Amino acid sequence: VDIEAASRVGQDLYRLGCAAAVRAVAPELRGRLDPGLIAFVRGVDDWPISRYHALCQQRDQHANDLARLFGQVDLLMLPTVPLCAFEAGRDVPPDQPGDDWMSWNPYTPAFNSAQVPALSYPVWPQGEVLPAGVQWVAPKYREDRLLALGRWLETRFPVRTAAEPE
């Protein structure tokens, strides 16, 4: 499964959805919206409908690829995002070039657009104050696997807060 390509499709579909949400806000109120959101959706209204149709076809192909993979495995495990949490008030991590909200999130859009359930569990890497996340992904309609895993994780590895010792 090409998670990177699937995530690019998911990111574009997310951008289209955000643009629709911005359009739904009365023009006289759009000045109250986050400027980062406005920048994020800039240019989307110029996309031809054929691009949307191509994205839907690509999304469906990636979802089918995932379904085939889940014929061989019960769950996938990967990072939620490939970095530790960063401070509030930023749209991107401090070392990330640019200001694209999706540039540092290469995994979750693939699974969101495929409409498969996922569970993110926080972990604290050695010496870090803020958590990172581990993500498990299950086949479509198999939330039961994730709920069972979540119960097991909470029993064996309770989530700690940043104030708690390691």
Side-chain angles (χ1 to χ4, degrees):
V1 175
D2 188 343
I3 293 173
E4 184 179 343
S7 280
R8 281 193 305 273
V9 168
Q11 290 169 1
D12 280 349
L13 289 170
Y14 179 71
R15 194 176 305 261
L16 283 166
C18 288
V22 167
R23 279 192 307 278
V25 173
E28 65 274 10
L29 299 177
R30 289 184 191 159
R32 296 182 184 180
L33 295 175
D34 183 329
L37 174 63
I38 300 300
F40 181 67
V41 302
R42 191 168 289 121
V44 169
D45 288 335
D46 297 331
W47 291 2
I49 192 71
S50 59
R51 182 169 180 178
Y52 172 72
H53 289 292
L55 287 169
C56 290
Q57 288 176 333
Q58 292 167 12
R59 175 205 56 207
D60 294 348
Q61 182 59 53
H62 293 301
N64 290 337
D65 292 346
L66 263 177
R68 278 191 292 282
L69 177 62
F70 281 124
Q72 302 168 28
V73 300
D74 294 326
L75 296 170
L76 298 177
M77 179 183 147
L78 58 156
T80 304
V81 293
L83 49 96
C84 290
F86 52 93
E87 65 274 4
R90 301 186 62 98
D91 291 332
V92 298
D95 59 345
Q96 184 69 36
D99 59 359
D100 186 331
W101 294 0
M102 301 302 278
S103 64
W104 54 271
N105 184 9
Y107 304 123
T108 58
F111 307 115
N112 291 339
S113 66
Q115 300 178 335
V116 295
L119 175 139
S120 182
Y121 198 79
V123 295
W124 271 262
Q126 188 78 25
E128 293 291 334
V129 176
L130 296 172
V134 175
Q135 176 178 218
W136 281 272
V137 182
K140 195 167 189 172
Y141 307 120
R142 293 309 312 259
E143 290 86 352
D144 61 313
R145 292 180 184 177
L146 295 177
L147 293 172
L149 174 63
R151 282 190 297 276
W152 182 83
L153 287 168
E154 286 180 343
T155 301
R156 305 289 189 302
F157 307 99
V159 174
R160 71 172 181 86
T161 66
E164 296 176 28
E166 294 181 27

